[in-house]
Amino acid sequence: MPKDAAVEEFAGLVRTLKARDGRSYEALGRRLSVSASTLHRYCSGATVPEGFAVVDRLALLCGADEEERRALEAAWTEADRARRRTASPVPSPTPVPAAPEPDPEPSAPEPGPDPAPDPTAPEAPRARPRRAVPAPLLVAAAVALVVLALAAALLGRPTRTASAPAPASTPPGRTAAPLPFTWTIGSQLWQGGCGHTYLVDRAPGAVAPPPVAADSGAWAGTHGAVHGGEALVRITLQGRSPSDAVVLHALHVRVVDRAAPLPWNAYRMDNGCGGAVTPRHFAVDLDRPRPLARPVDGVDASGAEVRTIPAVSFPYKVTSSDPEELLVSARTAGCDCRWYLELEWSAGGRSGTVRITDGGKPFRTSGTAGRPAYLYDSAEGRWITDAESGQTG
């Protein structure tokens, strides 16, 4: 593919992401920590970024799925190769000076008429005719001069070869070989199976009754709902081998976008429910500049006495017969945050990082402070406010 076509294809994909998001170059640039003019050059094809990381952050920010991100990385790889070829053209060979031609023999003057011989003069010695240099010897000399000049040029300056473009690095979460473990997530979980709040950009009359917890994903997708105040994410991990354990070293939180909390209505999925068991989990405060996944104790109040379920910190080990389940509780009061998780692992001399997202897109959680809050009155079959129900907060 010609380099111009590769760069244009990459720029077209970046323009599509930017148009889909709808934000200005300045707004997106602030989120990506690049200037508006730099982002504009990426979109126009005037510049190809030296690394894929900034483009991958843009893709996540604009809601690209896994397939789109793979296509974007492939297009960037080709465009980067074109950029490298343009920046480092193959040097043209140094011209070799031509061998000097032998000086032509001076031509003798035109002979005049022979003078009459003097019978008394002694006979002059005859000049010995010059022997012409054979043509094969001239050719051999010219070839020798060319070889010597070329050798001097090569020895005087190191030979340069066009360097092959560097292979694209494997992004976090992907490895050349299959992962030694499997993982799945649940991102539409409710506290205790009944308590949750969604933010929805609809009036109460246009919102369906709350679903059962098992149908929460479909309900949220239909209404374009965003987790309000807290998002619960369950990660289930299982090794592929019964004997070779996979070690899970750390869980990192990456916030890709922060904005003001959504000005939408808050809809509670219950009237309040007290779960007998609160499992141990990892608490994440998205309002902190650098959120951390902090292990928290769980509580079991199902018996006569309340029992603490001790938190367990990393590392963990998983095999095919010993899976592990991690529960992450990400909370915010002051932002509309888009975020994802990175899990570090090692096994059998290999190591890597898995990026955990919500089906290829960042998780999203927004604060609910000051938003109109509604709960569902089953008797009347409609959403009512806290004031109407006699509840507050």
Side-chain angles (χ1 to χ4, degrees), residues 132-161:
V133 179
L137 290 179
L138 287 177
V139 174
V143 171
L145 285 174
V146 171
V147 171
L148 289 174
L150 181 59
L154 293 176
L155 292 174
R157 185 178 62 185
T159 303
R160 294 178 61 191
T161 58

Side-chain angles (χ1 to χ4, degrees), residues 23-307:
R23 278 178 280 193
S24 65
Y25 288 106
E26 290 79 8
L28 282 174
R30 285 194 298 269
R31 301 292 189 271
L32 299 171
S33 299
V34 300
S35 66
S37 59
T38 297
L39 183 58
H40 183 269
R41 288 196 296 270
Y42 294 165
C43 292
S44 65
T47 302
V48 177
E50 294 188 359
F52 181 67
V54 65
V55 186
D56 196 30
R57 292 202 306 272
L58 175 65
L60 284 170
L61 190 60
C62 296
D65 58 26
E66 201 69 28
E67 184 176 351
E68 288 176 310
R69 288 167 56 207
R70 284 196 296 266
L72 184 64
E73 183 181 8
W76 171 83
T77 300
E78 293 299 323
D80 184 59
R81 287 175 179 166
R83 177 184 65 81
R84 291 170 183 267
R85 288 195 298 267
T86 303
S88 302
V90 179
S92 56
T94 304
V96 179
E101 296 183 0
D103 294 333
E105 296 183 13
S107 58
E110 288 290 331
D114 293 335
D118 186 357
T120 60
E123 184 176 357
R126 296 185 178 180
R128 199 170 186 182
R130 177 181 292 181
R131 296 179 60 189
V133 179
L137 290 179
L138 287 177
V139 174
V143 171
L145 285 174
V146 171
V147 171
L148 289 174
L150 181 59
L154 293 176
L155 292 174
R157 185 178 62 185
T159 303
R160 294 178 61 191
T161 58
S163 59
S169 59
T170 304
R174 301 184 206 164
T175 54
L179 289 173
F181 63 95
T182 61
W183 60 273
T184 58
I185 67 161
S187 61
Q188 296 293 340
L189 306 181
W190 296 358
Q191 193 68 260
C194 60
H196 197 66
T197 299
Y198 285 110
L199 288 168
V200 180
D201 191 19
R202 295 188 187 185
V207 177
V212 296
D215 297 333
S216 58
W219 188 95
T222 300
H223 291 79
V226 173
H227 296 295
E230 179 186 35
L232 293 173
V233 178
R234 181 181 59 234
I235 310 166
T236 303
L237 304 114
Q238 185 173 21
R240 297 183 184 274
S241 168
S243 56
D244 298 330
V246 179
V247 181
L248 311 176
H249 295 279
L251 187 66
H252 304 290
V253 184
R254 310 298 186 198
V255 177
V256 297
D257 187 30
R258 296 179 190 271
L262 294 170
W264 298 353
N265 294 330
Y267 294 91
R268 296 175 180 165
M269 299 293 103
D270 64 277
N271 289 328
C273 60
V277 178
T278 302
R280 65 190 182 198
H281 61 281
F282 291 88
V284 177
D285 183 359
L286 295 173
D287 293 328
R288 296 179 64 87
R290 299 185 65 180
L292 300 174
R294 182 173 54 88
V296 177
D297 292 341
V299 175
D300 184 358
S302 59
E305 297 181 358
V306 177
R307 183 176 63 89

Side-chain angles (χ1 to χ4, degrees), residues 345-358:
W345 62 270
S346 65
R350 297 171 54 199
S351 62
T353 303
V354 170
R355 177 175 295 174
I356 299 174
T357 61
D358 194 3

